[in-house]
Amino acid sequence: MNVLIIGSGGREHALAHNISASQKCSSLYVAPGNPGISQFAICLEISIDDHEAIIRKCREHDIKLVVIGPEMPLVLGLADLLRENNILAFGPSASAAKLEGSKFFAREFCRRYQIPQPEFKRFINAQKAKEYVDKIGPKCVVKADGLAAGKGVVVCQTKKQAYEAIDMMLSGGVGDAGETIIVETCISGPELSAFALIDSKVVTWLASARDYKRAFDGDIGPNTGGMGALSPSPEETNTLRDQIMHKILIPVAKGMVLDGAPYTGILYAGLMLTKAGPQVIEFNCRFGDPEAQVILPRLQSDLLELILIHCNQKQESATVSFSNDIAITVVMANKGYPGKYKRNSIIMDMDDIPLDEDSYIYHSGTGTNQKGQIIAKGGRVLSITAKAKNFREARLKAYKTVKKIKWDNGFYRTDIAKY
Ligand code: GLY
């Protein structure tokens, strides 16, 4: 079968790596892909926003399945359009992807189905939002309702921070995404990301992970898309997994069916493990980046077979197996990220880095220059993953590879999976 993956990040590199290993995969296309992916798949130069062009490419290359990596095309209805054109799509419909596309929709949905979450209120008026902050106290979270490329959440400790976040979002600081905001009470505890494969009848637990959102060691600095990750989460136990399944994931799947928007695909629930039990921070309608770079190397089942069983609505017959190994990934980013950074610095001799079968270098914001050298074009540029029996070994192995990367303009956290 010919398969197309949509996206260009480390997550899509990891998806492509697993899917290309399947006996069922004849030709693998990725749009637009990146230089790492192009070493083993065919990259198509099309924009992920041009859904009609994606359909045309599917016809041209006899592509029968499209795996959609990022959230934006899902929220904009790419999966629906593919299905209308009789092409299998891995990912939820636009109505189901609203769980990620609208924070307010997700909060109202949880309220209706008694899924545990913090208190919240929606606002379009800054004065009213500030009055609510005065009522609940300055420790709060201000969120843009729509997709804001990782800039739509501000965790506030003081009244000044909360007021500034409200003003910034409601005056267009994150574009249309901030026309409506929600203000939530702060909850506390360790964070855990839960990943499940969901169709209208079955919820299959996949894995837990933890990501490191802050830019610098010790969880300080600005929020990023993720500077590293590990899987499974050290907090995961059988009891906790059952709790998450029965209080959160299964009620989500049932609720979406009752609402007439059955959820299909990966559901990534960002959770906080509070003293009162796990509570929902947010939902995402796809694999995380860099969480995919630690979950997929642990997957022992054939990913393409699993996706096909799911797309053909036979998920109840799927068996999923993961290695007991720990995987960790360290993200190398351009100096200055998530703010301004220099583009096109050269990453030297990438092909000469020896990798054993439990080590991976996934590309994100890379490109090539006219001499064919790898250059850093984006903010997050490489994810260096290692798998081992325990955190210590996985850490040593991943950082050993990181140190071999010759890139003057790169930086990374040194405390990923430091326990
Ligand atoms: N690492 C966070 C995300 O993928 O949304």
Side-chain angles (χ1 to χ4, degrees), residues 211 225 268 286 288-291:
D211 76 338
Y268 154 10
R286 34 106 197 151
D289 187 337
E291 292 88 336

Side-chain angles (χ1 to χ4, degrees), residues 11 71 100 211 213 224-226 228 268 282 284 286-291 380:
R11 164 183 52 210
E71 60 278 15
E100 175 164 5
D211 76 338
K213 292 203 175 69
T224 69
Y268 154 10
E282 63 178 19
N284 299 294
R286 34 106 197 151
F287 272 118
D289 187 337
E291 292 88 336
R380 290 187 296 163

